[in-house]
Amino acid sequence: MKTTIDISKGYVDEPLPKDKDLRVEIERLKKEKNAVILSHYYTRPEVQDLADFVGDSLALSQQAARTDASIILFAGVHFMAETAKILSPDKKVLMPDLTAGCSLADSCPAEDFERFLQRYPDHTVVSYVNTTVGVKALTDITCTSSNAVKIVGALPADEKIVFAPDRNLGNYIKAVTGREDMVVWDGACHVHDRFSVEKIVELKKAHPGAKVLAHPECKKAVLILADVVGSTAALLDYCGKSDAQEFIVVTEVGIIHQMQKMYPDRTFIPAPPSDSTCGCNDCAYMKQITLEKIYLTLLYELPEIRIEEDIRVRAERSIRRMLELS
Ligand code: 13P
Ligand code: SF4
């Protein structure tokens, strides 16, 4: 294996073979190296189609914990690949572009969070999976949008809780569980925090039979308009159970590829961002993962996620607690 590959940009940047079909090459490399590709629903359609498994954050971490592949190639953002490495330290976890981050994870730097927690020494810390390994290491129980309500709801009523980093999800959990005294870190996702209430109302008027599907990272004013609030997997599931023909989708637009694949006779209308110039129903980080980068990553087995063992062990504890409770 070459060790002189330049990954200073966060990914391998090399000319691609012009005479080869990348999909065929990726399949070949996968078999040769006993690799599995895990992808989130927000990635590009061609990346989702190539993956061995596409899922929400919870399903992806469960899959990463149980796979018997030697290599996990994670087609998603950094915290997701990091979670896979935390759960599978003996496997090689590759990520096609290390700079594919997450604005929500970035809104909670571990050093600031550690200082913040000093104000709440007797609190149980519940953190959303969209966090760095440093934040997870300071956390008692990790959660995802699939199980956040269940996990907080299962804690004794008199247990004091700090929730991080998403203020919208935190406030949604407070409303559903009645845990009004839960302390919530003031973070947000730049995609979900900016959906426009006015534009969703206009869409509802234009499509009176449509059901509104919203992710809990959206603002309260948006969630009030929703027929269902849930993780990406829960929203997909709802489409299968509903009789509606049209759906207004208030989460990252990449999921519509999966919705159309699963329910080709239905219509999915992406909720527009509040400012049409900002493109904020699109997570640019997820779209950094391309077939070209996947091919080069598998070929050179770079870039690889590496985590210091002591911090990994602390972070793993909080994720294992979540998996036990899920
Ligand atoms: P899910 O766990 O619902 O897939 O959400 C992940 C995410 O990043 C939402 O922005
Ligand atoms: Fe992070 Fe938001 Fe992108 Fe989800 S949509 S990965 S929360 S930036």
Side-chain angles (χ1 to χ4, degrees):
M1 180 56 47
K2 291 191 204 178
T3 52
T4 52
I5 305 305
D6 178 14
I7 53 161
S8 57
K9 289 182 179 169
Y11 54 90
V12 181
D13 187 18
E14 278 206 350
L16 291 154
K18 289 207 174 60
D19 54 335
K20 289 184 178 147
D21 179 333
L22 281 189
R23 285 179 182 79
V24 174
E25 288 305 299
I26 291 169
E27 282 305 325
R28 180 182 64 74
L29 288 168
K30 246 173 50 182
K31 282 201 193 88
E32 216 174 275
K33 297 177 182 236
N34 186 25
V36 67
I37 300 183
L38 307 183
S39 167
H40 189 265
Y41 292 125
Y42 295 163
T43 56
R44 294 167 184 267
E46 64 274 21
V47 171
Q48 294 185 39
D49 289 347
L50 183 105
D52 298 288
F53 182 84
V54 189
D56 70 352
S57 303
L58 176 63
L60 287 166
S61 37
Q62 288 167 329
Q63 199 69 22
R66 75 167 78 104
T67 181
D68 53 11
S70 319
I71 294 179
I72 298 173
L73 184 142
F74 212 104
V77 294
H78 193 274
F79 77 83
M80 294 179 171
E82 202 170 59
T83 301
K85 183 67 183 177
I86 294 168
L87 289 166
S88 294
D90 300 331
K91 297 196 190 306
K92 196 174 250 189
V93 177
L94 303 175
M95 184 183 173
D97 186 342
L98 292 175
T99 71
C102 167
S103 54
L104 180 52
D106 289 348
S107 71
C108 188
E111 316 76 64
D112 297 353
F113 191 51
E114 191 166 19
R115 267 195 302 279
F116 177 80
L117 290 180
Q118 283 163 9
R119 287 160 39 199
Y120 306 101
D122 52 352
H123 285 53
T124 296
V125 182
V126 180
S127 294
Y128 194 36
V129 70
N130 298 43
T131 46
T132 60
V133 65
V135 169
K136 287 187 180 79
L138 298 166
T139 294
D140 296 302
I141 317 176
T142 298
C143 70
T144 75
S145 50
S146 284
N147 55 24
V149 167
K150 185 175 163 193
I151 284 174
V152 171
L155 296 175
D158 58 351
E159 193 155 331
K160 295 176 186 160
I161 304 169
V162 168
F163 181 84
D166 190 50
R167 61 171 175 259
N168 294 328
L169 177 62
N171 290 331
Y172 173 72
I173 298 168
K174 276 185 174 186
V176 176
T177 62
R179 310 286 295 236
E180 278 311 318
D181 56 347
M182 190 170 83
V183 178
V184 176
W185 176 269
D186 191 21
C189 154
H190 74 294
V191 179
H192 289 89
D193 202 41
R194 290 196 205 148
F195 281 110
S196 154
V197 173
E198 292 72 24
K199 290 184 182 173
I200 297 167
V201 170
E202 278 169 29
L203 280 175
K204 271 172 76 93
K205 278 193 199 138
H207 304 270
K211 297 287 184 196
V212 178
L213 316 174
H215 196 278
E217 289 173 19
C218 298
K219 287 179 293 201
K220 186 176 176 185
V222 166
L223 297 183
I224 286 168
L225 299 171
D227 293 288
V228 61
V229 176
S231 72
T232 50
L235 300 182
L236 272 162
D237 196 44
Y238 177 84
C239 298
K241 292 182 181 141
S242 167
D243 293 335
Q245 279 307 305
E246 292 186 306
F247 299 87
I248 298 166
V249 182
V250 198
T251 186
E252 208 274 350
V253 71
I255 197 174
I256 291 184
H257 175 62
Q258 215 52 234
M259 289 175 166
Q260 273 164 346
K261 263 177 93 168
M262 288 170 78
Y263 312 108
D265 57 331
R266 318 278 183 92
T267 304
F268 300 96
I269 306 153
S274 47
D275 166 2
S276 56
T277 61
C278 79
C280 51
N281 65 356
D282 189 274
C283 176
Y285 300 117
M286 290 281 187
K287 304 303 184 275
Q288 283 177 236
I289 309 303
T290 60
L291 289 189
E292 290 75 8
K293 287 179 188 165
I294 291 175
Y295 165 73
L296 290 170
T297 298
L298 267 182
L299 181 67
Y300 292 117
E301 300 180 22
L302 284 170
E304 183 181 351
I305 301 283
R306 289 181 190 274
I307 306 172
E308 277 178 36
E309 186 59 8
D310 62 330
I311 197 167
R312 188 201 67 76
V313 168
R314 284 190 283 140
E316 183 179 13
R317 224 173 287 145
S318 73
I319 305 175
R320 294 275 171 207
R321 267 193 90 184
M322 168 185 82
L323 294 176
E324 281 158 24
L325 292 168
S326 299

